[in-house]
Amino acid sequence: QTSGIRGRMGEVVSAGKLKTPAVIRSHGGRPRAIEAGEVHIDIAFVAAPTSDCVGNCRGVGGKSDCGSLGYAMTDAKYADHVVVVTDCLVDFPNFPASVEAIDVDAVVVADSIGNPKKIASAAARISQNPRDLMMAENVAKVIASTPYFKDGFSFQTGVGGPSLAANLFLEQYMDERNIKMGWAIGGICGPMVELLKKGKVGKVIDVQDFDLDAVNSIHQTPNHFEMSASQYANPANKGAFVNKLDFVVLAALEVDTDFNVNVLTGSDGVLRGAPGGHPDTAAGSKCCIIVTPLTRGRMATVCEHVVTVTTPGDCVDVLVTDYGIAVNPLRPDLIACLDQAGIPHVPIETLKEKAYSLVGRPEDLQWEDQVVAVLEARDGTILDVVRKIKPYDPENS
């Protein structure tokens, strides 16, 4: 049971090597399932950069700082036994604690719990690619055209290159209109920390840190706070932050003509991604914007049907690509906003046909009957399944 499967593990699961199908949940769906008793945790191991002798632990203050421990909080609260593993034992009390000693049964001191330099991934850096910057600028234009873009608005961006770059252009529109962001959430990166330090955003509430700038900011920069994954995105949590979002900007592996999004399986049907907070933020926000290039390599990103539905189309409002913008017909109010602002847009079918004209229409994938993974919707219902892909047969291809 996981929030995502990549690399060799994804290949093994896709090949049907598990005795039972994998269960995949979103960042909000997982704590919901734990708190509802659908998932029982016998023992939770929490890797913590610092801990005191009784288990008050934090994500900062040691040699392996990782920032927020937001995903471990629900596990520690509900598991039968909790073991904190740290490489930096500090004096009692280690406060403010991310996981408090009242929930901890043992503390284990190891030589090293990891390498924080590997936290910063290429995906978490602002793109310098002109195509990505053009898409990011169009995302900011769309945001600025809506009635939600006003003083105190709330915002989350994903960590893909174009998504992150949208921060830069959004700041320009904020300056032009003399408004500030009220608060920002999610996986936090350096660009959002910079906006906080400049006074352009009131509060940053953080469930996960994607680079060392964010790691070094949490609990250090005023108004940079930590929260649990449950408080972030649990659909059964009456105070979930995602439900108060004005805007979210997200990436995608595929988007189909019904605006369904796939961020889990590749075009070959193999598990190589994670829903993460994608479906949670899309469902909760007033305006969900997907930003992605029209094609990747020789594959169409905008297509007839996504391989796996990870975020339902009725939660997606706008698609921004390098070949144009499409607005979900379910949002005539946003269509009117873009028209009034003079922002051109086209039906999503036009983008699909353009993608196919560039790279060709792909052949349908061939599946076996065996289900290798079940994708839960954030409320626990089954959203989609992933089946074992049929081996390539050159004789019948």
Side-chain angles (χ1 to χ4, degrees), residues 243-300:
N243 294 336
K244 304 294 287 182
L245 268 177
D246 289 321
F247 302 100
V248 65
V249 180
L250 299 166
L253 292 175
E254 292 181 313
V255 186
D256 68 23
T257 49
D258 290 321
F259 286 84
N260 296 309
V261 177
N262 171 27
V263 291
L264 181 64
T265 46
S267 56
D268 56 358
V270 175
L271 291 157
R272 56 178 81 255
H278 205 291
D280 303 306
T281 52
S285 62
K286 293 187 179 75
C287 181
C288 169
I289 302 172
I290 304 296
V291 55
T292 181
L294 192 67
T295 62
R296 285 192 182 90
R298 296 296 301 168
M299 300 308 302

Side-chain angles (χ1 to χ4, degrees), residues 131-132 135 162 252 291-296 301-302 320-322:
R131 180 184 68 174
D132 289 352
M135 290 190 289
V291 55
T292 181
L294 192 67
T295 62
R296 285 192 182 90
T301 304
V302 182
V320 175
T321 75
D322 47 340

Side-chain angles (χ1 to χ4, degrees), residues 34-35 44 72-80 82 99-100 102-103:
I34 294 170
E35 292 173 17
M73 292 177 183
T74 304
D75 298 49
K77 186 68 68 176
Y78 287 85
D80 291 346
V82 177
V99 172
E100 296 185 351
I102 194 170
D103 293 319

Side-chain angles (χ1 to χ4, degrees), residues 41 43-47 72 81-85 108:
I41 302 175
I43 184 165
F45 294 92
V46 178
H81 301 280
V82 177
V83 179
V84 168
V85 183
V108 175

